[in-house]
Amino acid sequence: MGHRFLTLALATSVSAAMVVSSGGIVAAEVSPDEQVTMLTRHNTLRASVAAGETERLGQAVTIADLTWNDEAATVAQAWADNLLATDTFEHNADRGDLGENIYWESGYDPATGAVRAFQSWADEAGSYTWDTDTCAETCGHYTQIAWSATTSVGCGMATDGSTSIWVCDYAPPGNYTGERPYEPGDAVAPLTSAPTESPMSTDTPVTEDTPVTEDTPVTEDTALPEETSAG
């Protein structure tokens, strides 16, 4: 199966420890805080899509949280470093069995680049139509983020202090031709109102004088029905 969407992002616009090399290139690795930022934003979007589509389609849509993938992050970091050093912007053809989103910006604070990189990809949601599985414009970054079969992500970032490049690699990859990012499962039962209690007939009153017979013992094992209510 082939990948269908070109997942590149550009912006005329990363916090991490930065080291200046002898060639003047500033190398930067994704910090623990940025890992949390990227992972949290990925999973928040996935949960939101699942909830919204479950309601819209009337069937359960499950898109599980991603985990951080150190191996994918190593591949992503090496490619971000390469793109910055060679002043190029293209996908890593040798990344193996990984999906990939990349982002470039210049003139923005590198310390807040993670948020902008992710948001540029997430904003493509409006260009994707699940019902027809089509993109009005670029939407491959978004569909990779929402791809339900993807289970992990790892990201890398490189900057020279002005230009910054973000790369996120995904395992297993998404964006296969002829497949949607997610499919609904079982139908979701509609909410129902609580049944009203039937009024007790005045023809058969229950009073303190009504005896409990031995034929209908009441014991601790006799479960009383619980009253149901709308959830």
Side-chain angles (χ1 to χ4, degrees):
M1 292 181 289
H3 295 278
R4 60 173 167 181
F5 298 126
L6 179 64
T7 52
L8 305 175
L10 293 172
T12 54
S13 60
V14 269
S15 154
M18 297 186 289
V19 179
V20 180
S21 70
S22 58
I25 297 296
V26 179
E29 294 185 355
V30 176
S31 70
D33 285 348
E34 286 172 324
Q35 287 185 24
V36 171
T37 294
M38 274 296 189
L39 197 56
T40 298
R41 287 178 180 262
H42 274 78
N43 288 336
T44 298
L45 184 145
R46 287 167 69 89
S48 176
V49 171
E53 289 292 76
T54 293
E55 181 177 359
R56 184 179 75 87
L57 298 172
Q59 293 176 276
V61 173
T62 301
I63 308 177
D65 283 354
L66 301 178
T67 59
W68 186 261
N69 187 323
D70 287 330
E71 292 183 3
T74 298
V75 174
Q77 184 61 56
W79 190 243
D81 291 340
N82 175 74
L83 292 178
L84 184 66
T86 59
D87 192 25
T88 54
F89 189 69
E90 60 187 7
H91 281 295
N92 179 7
D94 298 320
R95 65 184 181 272
D97 192 25
L98 296 169
E100 184 171 83
N101 285 349
I102 64 178
Y103 171 85
W104 174 96
E105 68 177 14
S106 181
Y108 289 82
D109 182 4
T112 54
V115 173
R116 287 188 300 277
F118 178 84
Q119 197 58 49
S120 74
W121 303 333
D123 284 346
E124 295 173 4
S127 294
Y128 177 69
T129 301
W130 183 89
D131 301 76
T132 56
D133 193 30
T134 56
C135 296
E137 297 178 357
T138 301
C139 69
H141 300 93
Y142 162 73
T143 54
Q144 172 59 87
I145 293 170
W147 203 266
S148 63
T150 296
T151 59
S152 63
V153 62
C155 302
M157 180 273 293
T159 183
D160 60 8
S162 176
T163 296
S164 300
I165 296 173
W166 277 88
V167 178
C168 285
D169 285 347
Y170 301 82
N175 287 346
Y176 285 107
T177 303
E179 295 185 23
R180 291 183 172 94
Y182 46 84
E183 293 291 345
D186 297 333
V188 177
L191 292 176
T192 58
S193 58
T196 58
E197 292 186 6
S198 299
M200 191 171 293
S201 171
T202 56
D203 295 333
T204 55
V206 176
T207 69
E208 292 180 358
D209 297 328
T210 303
V212 175
T213 69
E214 293 181 358
D215 293 332
T216 56
V218 176
T219 69
E220 293 181 353
D221 297 328
T222 302
L224 298 179
E226 295 182 358
E227 185 174 322
T228 61
S229 60

